[in-house]
Amino acid sequence: MTDEDISEKEKDTQAYAALGIGLICIVVGLPLWWKATEVYRVQLPYSDINGLSEIPLTYTAEVQVVCFDDVWTKRILEISQLLQDNLSKTTGTEIKANYRLSVRERTTEELDIFKQKGSVPDLPFVDDELSKSKLVSGDRNKYYIFLVPKLFKLDYAYIGKHHNILIRPLNDVTELVKDISGIVKSYVIHEDSVEKSILNAKGARSLKPDKESMRSVRYNPGYDITFTLTVPQPDILDVRWQIEEAVTAYIESMTNKLTEYTSFEIKSQLQYFTTFQSKPKYDESLKEYYYQEQNLPQLINPIESTLGTSSSNNPELNFIVYIPTRDKSPLYIRDKNGNKVKSNAFLSPRWGGVMIYNVPEFNSSAALPYLVQVDMRQVMEVFVSQIRLLLNVNSAAQLGSKNVVFEPVGVAGINDIEIDVWLRNRCAENLATSINTLQSLAQLLGQISNIVIKDDIGSEVETAVESIKNSQKLLQAGNLVGAFQASKLAIIASEKAFFDPSLLELLYFPEDQKFAIYIPLFLPISIPVIGSIYKAIKHLRGSNKAKKD
Amino acid sequence: MSAPMIYQKITKMIVILLIFLCAPWLVLSNTSEEEIGEFFKSGHTNNWAVLVDTSRFWFNYRHVANVLSIYRSVKRLGIPDSHIILMVADDMACNPRNPRPATVFNNANQHINVYGDDVEVDYRGYEVTVENFIRVLTGRLPPSTPRSKHLLSDERSNILVYMTGHGGDGFLKFQDAEEVSNVELADAFEQMWQKRRYHELFFMVDTCQAQSMFQRFYSPNILAVASSHVGEDSLSHHVDPALGVYVIDRYTFYALEFLEKAKPGSKKTMGQFLKVCPKYQCISTVAVRTDLFQRDPNQVLLTDFFGSVRNVEILLNTLALPNITLTSDTCSKSSCGNEEVSSRSLKYADQFPMPV
């Protein structure tokens, strides 16, 4: 063996070694680097998420018609058929209403309730008694329609506090059916408002403002309500209010009914030496001060800064009672036409309400500070109405007409039909919102490659998808409360997934900066490796040729 | 002169007098009608502002003055502190080199102390980072974050984003260590749009090559203005010899001049605002981007972004509630609790151990 052979062999070994290292770099190094720098992403159910919006939404409500007169009891079948036809004519495009209808004869018990108070039925009494009787259960989403017997004089439809609707006696069957379906659709179920809440949740950013969606707060698992009494001159007026007792008396009945669905944190505070900054105008003839409608927006800001902030992140609703200063009272709000506003109050959308409370005039020689007790009924009348508007409880007073009469809500604050409507609307809104949130999240993940998705976000997304499907099913089956609770879970999970802080962990790490990090790291290693591979390949090719020769 | 002539003259004078007397009334009634119409023209119910100064150190005094001046203006025009996120990377008022401690001036005449009496800085010093800024915009803050540090805007919010600092082509430097790139910013705005966190957004940036910051935006309803084109520097306005540093940047100076003239109910439009600081004043060229914005800036009120004109609704109908006599218990929930607390013996906390 010559020296040449040995050196040739050595060169071969070198070449194989270089190729081996190169191979390790490519086979082991590259995948390892790829794996190690990969953005961690849990597999999300993308197709499920995209499919969610394709499932047609339907809700079911149960309607039971109770006939009293023989004229109708003979025609039960006809009525039920006509009514079913009429009710199934829905106009909604986003969500469809479905009615489970039954028509039956009255029981003697029910007739007795009607007859108890003579020929003019005492409607609230009948309403209460009917709900107490066993035949009418107090379930949600079940409505009882009583065709009032002819011997009673009633020339309008009456919608009670509970789920009972009394329909005036009519002679014609088509007229009767039209009456029933009209009332059910627009006064009991509020088909339009369900449709509207979905549209608002979906496309609220269309530039067309819609008063109701602008005014009311979106659904949240909790709200903070703060009542503030603002006294600019505590040295002159010693104003007292029984807010704790008033809240118990007037507000709690409402919040207790909703507490299953959303929580309320109610607080109150007293604020001294805070005044409206803009000056009111003076009416010489009436000797009173007033603000015009266009002055009102500027009143809130200076007061708001002193209200303090709450520690929770729930939406805040502020309600302010403002006592005018002595030199500017009495102080009134006037509308566009210059008329005094009876309530002397206004609201700001999604924020709360302000009420100007004029204290009675007192003798200038009275000892100061003059003690004033705020009439809490007057204050609560305003604030309960405003809370209802801000929470988007469809106000009966707004929608009533001369043919349809609502039992006034009174101290209950919210009645059963309104709770149903509220639940149905919020459920639809939550579904639309959480579907939207999930779809935006999915879309963003496609657009922005740096977002990390951890396991817990994956499971939140799965919970949300599951809950949405569940809610859709329950809504269709007519289980309103179950559907609502599922939609609540869905919105909480989807919001949590979208707003999780870990989504941002890698976001501020642009692609071009990665080069700046890798080049000084990889260049010193890769140049000798690539160089020696090139050399080795060249050498092996050369020696092959030499052997052939 | 005959009697009929005198009579005619008198009637003429009366007519002229009447016209003079009525003229102000006519004008007044016209404007009030316009105002009412405008309340529901724009689709927003609330305003938010995110004001960011990204640079620290004494020689960057002017950036802090910039941001505090804008803060002062939007607050004066009506955005409450709770709706302003103010990020200031350095505390100029308490800088040991500040010859007038606890003040920040934006003018050599030292007319206005922009630090003022009530400045609520939400993110200060080293809290001003790219991460925190993006987190504020996208809402992805840790659950322990207090309410005042959140941008709690919704699909009916108009947001003003103002940024100032040192920038280059495609980035804006934060502190001294990191930068936000225009791609990240565009992505952040897209995430806001997807989650319906704004209705309309006005982006205003005063930095070198500022135009590059909004070039990558792709989300709708954004109106953007920058103090300079790509390749241009933004310049400072004037130096205060007493402080020894430049006190304000040119673009912000002229923008403020415009804003100072506006009052809360002002009828000035965004179109007018976008024309602020022509080249002979700014030296750099102000860049504007309107293609993403769906309304005509000339029809948009300045106060849609720089102020807070709320929509209000007069309450016409109230519920009738029965009169309930409110009986106050001798021991209500809160007062009872207090008594229990006071019965416990109280003691002072241990003093912090001090080195002798």
Side-chain angles (χ1 to χ4, degrees):
Chain A
M1 212 178 252
T2 58
D3 283 355
E4 217 173 90
D5 282 346
I6 291 170
S7 70
E8 193 62 27
K9 225 176 182 181
E10 229 168 49
K11 270 186 183 166
D12 279 353
T13 327
Q14 272 175 5
Y16 287 127
L19 279 180
I21 287 169
L23 205 71
I24 288 170
C25 279
I26 291 162
V27 175
V28 182
L30 266 182
L32 194 73
W33 167 74
W34 189 255
K35 187 81 197 146
T37 57
E38 200 182 38
V39 172
Y40 182 73
R41 269 191 189 183
V42 167
Q43 189 55 41
L44 293 181
Y46 290 107
S47 58
D48 273 10
I49 291 172
N50 288 326
L52 284 175
S53 53
E54 259 120 66
I55 304 169
L57 279 174
T58 333
Y59 58 89
T60 304
E62 216 165 296
V63 176
Q64 201 173 79
V65 180
V66 183
C67 304
F68 280 82
D69 284 339
D70 289 344
V71 197
W72 300 133
T73 41
K74 280 177 201 150
R75 301 167 75 177
I76 280 183
L77 214 70
E78 194 189 341
I79 291 175
S80 100
Q81 222 152 39
L82 274 173
L83 196 55
Q84 187 71 59
D85 287 350
N86 251 5
L87 284 174
S88 55
K89 277 181 210 149
T90 51
T91 48
T93 50
E94 298 289 334
I95 189 161
K96 288 232 151 56
N98 188 18
Y99 295 95
R100 210 176 289 146
L101 183 70
S102 61
V103 184
R104 68 169 168 86
E105 209 177 326
R106 49 117 186 113
T107 60
T108 43
E109 209 175 323
E110 281 164 345
L111 191 63
D112 286 347
I113 292 172
F114 269 87
K115 281 187 175 160
Q116 233 160 348
K117 293 249 170 158
S119 67
V120 180
D122 176 5
L123 297 173
F125 170 80
V126 171
D127 182 30
D128 281 343
E129 285 298 307
L130 283 172
S131 323
K132 272 182 214 158
S133 76
K134 280 171 202 154
L135 287 159
V136 178
S137 60
D139 285 354
R140 292 242 162 275
N141 209 18
K142 261 188 194 168
Y143 308 95
Y144 297 88
I145 292 170
F146 296 94
L147 307 180
V148 174
K150 279 230 179 71
L151 42 297
F152 297 112
K153 284 183 184 64
L154 187 70
D155 47 6
Y156 50 80
Y158 170 84
I159 299 180
K161 268 185 191 175
H162 310 287
H163 292 102
N164 306 324
I165 298 111
L166 308 186
I167 300 279
R168 62 186 165 150
L170 287 166
N171 293 321
D172 184 36
V173 78
T174 48
E175 207 180 321
L176 177 83
V177 164
K178 220 175 122 193
D179 220 23
I180 297 176
S181 72
I183 284 166
V184 167
K185 274 165 184 275
S186 34
Y187 294 107
V188 178
I189 304 291
H190 291 268
E191 283 187 9
D192 297 349
S193 71
V194 186
E195 178 89 4
K196 228 196 222 165
S197 13
I198 294 195
L199 284 175
N200 281 333
K202 265 188 171 175
R205 43 197 187 190
S206 63
L207 286 167
K208 248 192 230 155
D210 159 43
K211 221 172 173 183
E212 232 141 71
S213 79
M214 277 172 88
R215 182 204 296 132
S216 59
V217 284
R218 301 295 283 277
Y219 174 76
N220 202 65
Y223 297 97
D224 292 354
I225 296 179
T226 312
F227 294 101
T228 309
L229 175 64
T230 308
V231 187
Q233 295 171 319
D235 48 336
I236 294 173
L237 291 174
D238 179 12
V239 187
R240 308 269 174 91
W241 67 342
Q242 290 176 291
I243 185 67
E244 200 178 335
E245 293 80 15
V247 165
T248 326
Y250 295 109
I251 306 255
E252 266 183 8
S253 52
M254 171 153 112
T255 52
N256 284 347
K257 279 185 187 162
L258 293 176
T259 192
E260 252 183 90
Y261 317 114
T262 180
S263 66
F264 293 92
E265 172 94 25
I266 301 175
K267 280 176 292 185
S268 72
Q269 60 179 351
L270 263 164
Q271 194 109 51
Y272 293 127
F273 301 109
T274 313
T275 38
F276 284 157
Q277 307 270 309
S278 90
K279 277 195 184 130
K281 291 192 178 117
Y282 185 61
D283 189 326
E284 296 263 357
S285 58
L286 290 168
K287 294 226 158 59
E288 60 183 37
Y289 292 87
Y290 64 94
Y291 284 114
Q292 281 170 313
E293 191 172 353
Q294 64 264 33
N295 305 132
L296 300 178
Q298 274 116 44
L299 296 182
I300 298 173
N301 278 334
I303 287 199
E304 192 192 14
S305 60
T306 63
L307 288 180
T309 49
S310 134
S311 55
S312 79
N313 287 328
N314 290 334
E316 247 184 353
L317 298 176
N318 296 289
F319 296 96
I320 297 173
V321 180
Y322 179 79
I323 311 285
T325 54
R326 198 185 191 181
D327 55 325
K328 292 281 185 305
S329 54
L331 182 60
Y332 294 100
I333 294 171
R334 289 190 181 178
D335 64 10
K336 271 181 278 214
N337 308 323
N339 301 325
K340 215 186 271 182
V341 175
K342 213 178 120 213
S343 62
N344 219 13
F346 61 96
L347 65 79
S348 176
R350 295 190 180 185
W351 180 82
V354 177
M355 178 190 183
I356 299 177
Y357 186 90
N358 286 309
V359 300
E361 261 184 62
F362 58 94
N363 197 336
S364 55
S365 61
L368 296 179
Y370 185 75
L371 183 76
V372 175
Q373 197 77 38
V374 176
D375 177 14
M376 291 315 285
R377 186 181 69 96
Q378 201 185 332
V379 170
M380 283 302 156
E381 273 184 353
V382 168
F383 288 160
V384 170
S385 327
Q386 288 181 334
I387 290 175
R388 283 164 55 90
L389 283 171
L390 290 165
L391 289 180
N392 208 351
V393 172
N394 285 290
S395 170
Q398 276 183 328
L399 294 163
S401 72
K402 93 172 188 286
N403 289 332
V404 183
V405 170
F406 287 85
E407 175 65 29
V409 175
V411 78
I414 186 165
N415 65 33
D416 284 337
I417 290 183
E418 283 171 340
I419 294 178
D420 285 8
V421 172
W422 189 82
L423 284 178
R424 203 175 294 118
N425 288 353
R426 297 293 81 77
C427 179
E429 176 194 300
N430 287 350
L431 284 177
T433 310
S434 52
I435 290 174
N436 257 335
T437 306
L438 290 179
Q439 284 177 345
S440 327
L441 184 66
Q443 197 191 332
L444 283 174
L445 295 180
Q447 264 172 17
I448 303 165
S449 56
N450 277 328
I451 296 181
V452 180
I453 307 273
K454 285 188 176 167
D455 292 337
D456 49 340
I457 294 173
S459 66
E460 290 292 347
V461 170
E462 261 159 43
T463 324
V465 171
E466 211 95 318
S467 308
I468 290 169
K469 283 183 179 166
N470 192 15
S471 173
Q472 285 171 338
K473 247 181 250 158
L474 290 169
L475 197 60
Q476 193 164 13
N479 181 350
L480 188 57
V481 176
F484 174 82
Q485 297 293 11
S487 81
K488 184 178 164 185
L489 281 184
I491 197 160
I492 292 173
S494 62
E495 296 287 296
K496 208 171 160 220
F498 193 94
F499 284 121
D500 197 279
S502 72
L503 281 179
L504 268 188
E505 250 154 37
L506 269 180
L507 200 67
Y508 58 104
F509 204 72
E511 297 283 331
D512 50 340
Q513 290 193 5
K514 285 181 190 164
F515 274 102
I517 290 165
Y518 287 135
I519 282 177
L521 211 79
F522 284 168
L523 219 57
I525 301 170
S526 57
I527 285 176
V529 172
I530 292 169
S532 55
I533 290 175
Y534 175 73
K535 241 182 160 182
I537 290 170
K538 215 171 152 193
H539 168 78
L540 288 178
R541 274 197 185 154
S543 62
N544 274 352
K545 262 186 194 167
K547 271 177 194 166
K548 273 179 192 166
D549 291 342
Chain B
M1 221 184 257
S2 62
M5 282 264 290
I6 293 170
Y7 179 74
Q8 259 186 354
K9 261 200 168 169
I10 289 173
T11 43
K12 237 184 192 174
M13 272 172 73
I14 289 173
V15 167
I16 291 172
L17 237 155
L18 270 174
I19 290 174
F20 266 100
L21 280 173
C22 292
W25 280 109
L26 290 173
V27 171
L28 270 178
S29 58
N30 268 344
T31 49
S32 63
E33 261 176 35
E34 270 171 23
E35 269 172 351
I36 292 162
E38 264 152 15
F39 278 149
F40 286 97
K41 225 186 232 174
S42 85
H44 74 286
T45 59
N46 55 68
N47 279 81
W48 287 80
V50 181
L51 313 174
V52 194
D53 150 57
T54 63
S55 46
R56 59 189 302 108
F57 302 127
W58 176 243
F59 51 83
N60 290 322
Y61 184 93
R62 63 180 186 281
H63 293 153
V64 176
N66 284 347
V67 82
L68 288 175
S69 315
I70 296 283
Y71 170 78
R72 199 179 156 275
S73 288
V74 296
K75 217 169 138 179
R76 188 177 59 80
L77 289 172
I79 304 186
D81 247 332
S82 56
H83 284 199
I84 303 176
I85 310 287
L86 181 61
M87 302 176 105
V88 183
D90 204 351
D91 194 359
M92 292 309 164
C94 299
N95 194 300
R97 286 161 83 175
N98 192 344
R100 302 197 50 183
T103 57
V104 175
F105 293 100
N106 65 358
N107 198 304
N109 300 326
Q110 308 199 337
H111 277 321
I112 308 161
N113 172 19
V114 288
Y115 200 64
D117 298 324
D118 56 342
V119 172
E120 198 184 295
V121 182
D122 298 296
Y123 289 82
R124 60 192 283 267
Y126 289 113
E127 283 177 342
V128 183
T129 57
V130 176
E131 184 179 335
N132 278 344
F133 174 60
I134 300 285
R135 280 189 191 285
V136 166
L137 292 183
T138 54
R140 300 208 174 98
L141 288 155
S144 58
T145 317
R147 191 191 183 93
S148 63
K149 289 187 171 193
H150 274 281
L151 181 69
L152 292 168
S153 54
D154 52 42
E155 78 281 356
R156 292 273 168 223
S157 307
N158 273 12
I159 305 182
L160 163 73
V161 179
Y162 173 83
M163 302 186 83
T164 181
H166 290 286
D169 188 359
F171 67 88
L172 178 64
K173 194 178 76 168
F174 266 68
Q175 304 279 355
D176 244 17
E178 49 179 4
E179 62 244 17
V180 66
S181 74
N182 50 4
V183 181
E184 286 160 64
L185 200 59
D187 283 347
F189 286 154
E190 174 64 11
Q191 301 199 42
M192 288 172 78
W193 173 251
Q194 288 283 356
K195 194 60 197 79
R196 289 149 175 78
R197 283 171 67 76
Y198 71 83
H199 173 253
E200 282 169 337
L201 194 144
F202 180 55
F203 180 73
M204 183 178 168
V205 54
D206 189 350
T207 174
C208 296
Q209 316 207 31
Q211 187 194 19
S212 65
M213 286 311 286
F214 64 64
Q215 277 175 336
R216 297 294 188 95
F217 289 176
Y218 53 96
S219 318
N221 286 5
I222 299 181
L223 185 65
V225 64
S227 60
S228 55
H229 273 266
V230 173
E232 277 181 345
D233 285 342
S234 280
L235 301 164
S236 56
H237 190 260
H238 66 275
V239 74
D240 180 354
L243 295 173
V245 285
Y246 287 91
V247 286
I248 195 161
D249 281 322
R250 272 173 186 274
Y251 179 67
T252 306
F253 181 85
Y254 291 107
L256 279 177
E257 211 176 54
F258 183 86
L259 289 176
E260 285 296 318
K261 285 179 200 144
K263 292 208 171 69
S266 160
K267 289 272 169 295
K268 291 199 161 102
T269 66
M270 288 307 287
Q272 290 170 307
F273 182 75
L274 297 178
K275 289 195 190 79
V276 152
C277 205
K279 185 139 182 168
Y280 71 88
Q281 285 180 327
C282 254
I283 301 178
S284 60
T285 326
V286 173
V288 175
R289 185 163 177 198
T290 55
D291 59 327
L292 297 169
F293 199 65
Q294 285 167 13
R295 290 195 286 164
D296 175 10
N298 292 316
Q299 303 291 323
V300 179
L301 286 180
L302 183 76
T303 46
D304 276 7
F305 291 105
F306 282 94
S308 179
V309 176
R310 294 164 183 275
N311 299 325
V312 292
E313 193 180 359
I314 285 178
L315 188 72
L316 294 175
N317 302 312
T318 52
L319 284 178
L321 292 176
N323 212 344
I324 301 175
T325 36
L326 305 169
T327 48
S328 57
D329 302 334
T330 44
C331 157
S332 70
K333 263 183 256 165
S334 55
S335 59
C336 279
N338 283 344
E339 269 164 37
E340 272 167 41
V341 170
S342 60
S343 65
R344 255 192 300 142
S345 64
L346 300 172
K347 65 179 172 89
Y348 290 105
D350 286 336
Q351 271 202 341
F352 195 71
M354 295 291 281
V356 186

